[in-house]
């Protein structure tokens, strides 16, 4: 609600995220939740991939601007991961060693891959380590942060 009051243009993005959670967690819309998380998401992904792919001509797509945007995205992921790990290390120090710094690396909006990577790296070090659910918290926070950032861009540049 606070996000909607401060940045109304982000509300549809955050609302769709919350609608998916509501469908899944309510327990009364099993068919809708399963359809939205399986068939519907696959159909939408195929359609979006086809439309974007049909518009991505080689000379247009491989322009210096596109490559620059890809590099900026990579830098953003690196900074986000590094900042998350450093913040988790600070929380670890302040909590007396109760926070695993690996969960900070899941603070980017690559759901659920970033959380899975934290889980796998943690289990390589300690085989009975189970970080997945702890890493999903920062992972979902990254998604909400991305939706708010997109809403801010919509507010600033119009849309």
């Amino acid at each position: 609600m606070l996000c909607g009051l401060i940045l109304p243009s982000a509300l549809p993005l955050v609302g769709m995220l919350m609608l998916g959670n509501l469908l899944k967690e309510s327990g009364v819309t099993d068919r809708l939740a399963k359809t939205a998380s399986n068939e519907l998401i696959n159909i939408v992904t195929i359609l979006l991939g086809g439309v974007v792919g049909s518009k991505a001509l080689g000379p247009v797509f491989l322009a210096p601007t596109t490559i620059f945007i890809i590099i900026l995205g990579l830098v953003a992921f690196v900074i986000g991961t590094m900042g998350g790990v450093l913040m988790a290390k600070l929380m670890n120090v302040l909590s007396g060693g109760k926070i695993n710094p690996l969960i900070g690396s899941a603070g980017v909006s690559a759901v659920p891959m970033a959380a899975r990577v934290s889980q796998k790296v943690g289990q390589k070090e300690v085989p009975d380590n189970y970080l997945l659910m702890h890493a999903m918290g920062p992972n979902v926070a990254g998604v909400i942060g991305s939706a708010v950032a997109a809403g801010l861009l919509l507010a600033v540049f119009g849309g």
Side-chain angles (χ1 to χ4, degrees), residues 102-151:
L102 272 174
I103 66 166
S105 67
V108 294
S109 62
V111 174
M113 190 50 66
R116 287 184 190 156
V117 169
S118 295
Q119 167 70 22
K120 287 189 181 276
V121 171
Q123 278 190 327
K124 280 183 184 175
E125 196 66 33
V126 179
D128 61 344
N129 204 349
Y130 194 75
L131 297 172
L132 186 62
M133 295 315 292
H134 300 288
M136 282 304 293
N139 210 198
V140 172
V143 171
I144 294 170
S146 294
V148 170

Side-chain angles (χ1 to χ4, degrees), residues 4 20 82:
M82 183 179 64

